[in-house]
Amino acid sequence: MASKSQSAERKARIEEMRRAERARERRNRIITITASAVVVVALVAFGGYILNKESDKKEEQQAAAKAPIKDEKSWDAKKLGRNHVTEAVKYPMTPPVGGDHNQVWMNCQGDVYKDPIADVNAVHSLEHGAVWVTYNDKASDADVKTLGEKVEKTPYSFMSPLKEQTGAIMLSAWGKQVTVDSASDPRVEQFFTKYVQGSQTPEPGAACTGGMGAQ
């Protein structure tokens, strides 16, 4: 009799343990599903945030590309020569923003030149849609460093010293130019946004590598 009673109790305990195990499994499944749902919601929310941020950034860039740049100088692109020549060219502005030029362009894939470069090669790079950053002794070392780092990160841009220019820092594109006093001037970013492979480019998509580099 005692044996049957013990057997019944053992079965009852085993069944209770099984029920407890099944309950734990259900709780674990609920916890896992809930956690997964939270992760999915978070990922969706984060993805939406990133998309909105990218959309806002694109809209800002488009607005900057359309907005006029304060004190920018412009030249009629139709009146700027585009012939390939072998001789030196006397340009009406320093640095030049267009005109006849050498058939070999300066490499402009984020190239930073420590020494002056030839105008006739640089102008060819502008024709390909590059922005040329030039500076003289009026520019601070810190500004030169900051601009150099920006250029290095920006395909279709290049930089070189130009002692003869009037402004401390000048940015040039085909038919466009602006002078600033420091690298922190917001017009620097605006100029890059607007004119790196911008609508002013006579030969959009043309190469910025395979030309003339630092000697």
Side-chain angles (χ1 to χ4, degrees), residues 48-92:
Y49 168 75
I50 293 297
L51 287 175
N52 287 335
K53 189 174 182 180
E54 288 298 321
S55 179
D56 291 343
K57 183 179 179 181
K58 187 174 181 180
E59 289 178 1
E60 289 175 2
Q61 290 175 338
Q62 290 174 342
K66 293 178 181 178
I69 298 176
K70 183 181 178 183
D71 296 329
E72 176 188 271
K73 294 181 179 180
S74 296
W75 287 262
D76 187 349
K78 294 180 180 178
K79 295 181 179 179
L80 295 173
R82 290 180 53 201
N83 297 313
H84 287 177
V85 296
T86 56
E87 68 274 8
V89 178
K90 187 173 183 179
Y91 296 103

Side-chain angles (χ1 to χ4, degrees), residues 87-185:
E87 68 274 8
V89 178
K90 187 173 183 179
Y91 296 103
M93 73 293 288
T94 303
V97 299
D100 294 344
H101 50 268
N102 192 276
Q103 65 179 353
V104 181
W105 56 90
M106 291 301 301
N107 288 334
C108 45
Q109 198 74 354
D111 294 86
V112 176
Y113 299 99
K114 302 301 182 183
D115 298 313
I117 59 177
D119 287 348
V120 288
N121 303 107
V123 169
H124 196 158
S125 301
L126 301 186
E127 186 182 38
H128 289 191
V131 163
W132 183 17
V133 179
T134 53
Y135 61 94
N136 60 18
D137 294 341
K138 298 176 186 176
S140 71
D141 291 341
D143 281 338
V144 172
K145 182 177 183 292
T146 298
L147 289 167
E149 291 172 348
K150 179 172 182 58
V151 167
E152 287 176 342
K153 297 175 183 177
T154 309
Y156 284 93
S157 74
F158 62 116
M159 178 174 169
S160 67
L162 185 57
K163 186 177 180 179
E164 296 80 12
Q165 68 182 32
T166 55
I169 300 165
M170 299 178 73
L171 290 82
S172 304
W174 188 270
K176 306 291 181 180
Q177 192 170 82
V178 70
T179 301
V180 298
D181 293 325
S182 72
S184 61
D185 192 305

Side-chain angles (χ1 to χ4, degrees), residues 173-203:
W174 188 270
K176 306 291 181 180
Q177 192 170 82
V178 70
T179 301
V180 298
D181 293 325
S182 72
S184 61
D185 192 305
R187 290 176 295 173
V188 173
E189 186 65 33
Q190 189 180 7
F191 198 91
F192 270 74
T193 299
K194 193 167 187 174
Y195 295 126
V196 169
Q197 283 284 283
S199 59
Q200 86 293 342
T201 305
E203 296 182 4

